[in-house]
Amino acid sequence: MRYLSAAFLLLVSAAHLVEGQFKFSVTATYKGKPIPPGQIKLTPIKTEEARSTQRISPASKDAAIRRRANPTANSANWCGSVNHATSTNQIKLIHAYYQHPSCTKRSGVTQYPQAVAAWAGIDGDSWTTALLQSGTTCKIDNSTGIVRNEAWWQWMPSAAYTISSLPVAANDWFEVTINTTSSTAGTITLSNLSQSYTYTITVSGGQTLGRVDADWVVERPYYGGSLAAMASFSDVWFQSAYATRVSGNLGILGATQLQIPSLCASSEYDDSDEVSWSL
Ligand SMILES: *[C@@H]1O[C@H](CO)[C@@H](O)[C@H](O)[C@H]1NC(C)=O
Ligand SMILES: *[C@@H]1O[C@H](CO)[C@@H](O)[C@H](O)[C@H]1NC(C)=O
Ligand SMILES: CC(=O)N[C@H]1CO[C@H](CO)[C@@H](O)[C@@H]1O
């Protein structure tokens, strides 16, 4: 009921998509009441801010403090947990709670922007041609150290969209749920845990997902094709981090723990909780 009266439709054609038109609609609520469509604002992000993981090797044995002996791998841009499903028992939904990190200028680093993004998503690791993801970014554009916090979603390789009308502050708890209804369609729900704001984005015509990677990631984003400097950030805990599959749930147990050498590391706390921290 509460989503029905605030339908906001945006149509986006993307020339590189061959499987029909990429389109999405957005509804939102504030304290359980629909937000008028005119107050919902999404801004396409022109430069690419998120990418598949850029794996680098070899993994460093001392990069992580691990509670369980998960396999560890190095990445240039992702730190966090990636668990894998098979093509015969695909992921249908991914879920997490996390607290949006605060970020500060990294000591001794003069490159800008400095940023860190926290998100949950499906694919982009072993399945490299598509990635469906949503989360928040903490970004410092220049040496003033002024921080900008933004919520966003993306169905790669289509553009990312900033949800400009969703306020984000350091330490706010977010809940992300991405529910795929097929390999090219799904619903992203991003809420403040207080439930003050809930945004629901219904997408179809996305690039085909394999639905084989479940990602809970803290990312060093790309801007304009270059890796941003990674800001220092407060620990990011992904809680109730689970994915549902056609048969049975998938947690973090057995996930690959990705680290960005010298910048951030992650560790499993239990099967559905993970922490990522700035080195
Ligand atoms: C520095 O970044 C802030 C935040 O984006 C912006 O408001 C400000 O105009 C920038 N200042 C300069 C000198 O570029
Ligand atoms: C996910 O989508 C399916 C199909 O539309 C729906 O039946 C199911 O209730 C959804 N799950 C959640 C948790 O929203
Ligand atoms: C923008 C907004 O509603 N932020 C709220 C998110 O939830 C936290 C509690 O977890 C509130 O303190 C924020 O005001």
Side-chain angles (χ1 to χ4, degrees), residues 69-93:
N70 294 347
T72 299
N74 284 351
S75 168
N77 59 333
W78 286 17
C79 115
S81 294
V82 179
N83 215 345
H84 298 103
T86 61
S87 58
T88 53
N89 188 13
Q90 290 170 310
I91 295 160
K92 296 197 301 186
L93 176 150

Side-chain angles (χ1 to χ4, degrees), residues 122-250:
I122 296 173
D123 292 340
D125 183 42
S126 67
W127 187 271
T128 56
T129 50
L131 166 60
L132 176 58
Q133 51 177 183
S134 184
T136 53
T137 299
C138 187
K139 188 179 177 207
I140 300 166
D141 290 322
N142 53 49
S143 60
T144 62
I146 294 170
V147 169
R148 287 196 293 131
N149 298 296
E150 290 174 339
W152 53 270
W153 67 276
Q154 181 172 29
W155 193 314
M156 280 183 56
S158 292
Y161 287 85
T162 298
I163 309 171
S164 324
S165 52
L166 174 56
V168 180
N171 304 317
D172 277 1
W173 278 96
F174 280 86
E175 181 174 17
V176 191
T177 309
I178 300 177
N179 188 6
T180 59
T181 45
S182 75
S183 58
T184 59
T187 300
I188 298 160
T189 308
L190 185 64
S191 327
N192 193 303
L193 189 61
S194 69
Q195 298 303 320
S196 294
Y197 286 92
T198 296
Y199 275 71
T200 305
I201 300 124
T202 304
V203 197
S204 61
Q207 182 84 295
T208 303
L209 296 168
R211 296 194 279 178
V212 289
D213 308 321
D215 321 316
W216 298 275
V217 166
V218 168
E219 177 159 9
R220 176 186 183 185
Y222 280 84
Y223 291 102
S226 304
L227 269 174
M230 196 173 210
S232 294
F233 60 94
S234 57
D235 291 0
V236 177
W237 282 92
F238 289 97
Q239 299 188 3
S240 300
Y242 62 82
T244 66
R245 291 176 296 191
V246 172
S247 170
N249 283 5
L250 190 64

Side-chain angles (χ1 to χ4, degrees), residues 20-35:
Q21 199 176 32
F22 180 70
K23 54 184 171 182
F24 62 89
S25 60
V26 186
T27 60
T29 61
Y30 177 58
K31 295 185 175 168
K33 299 209 168 93
I35 296 175

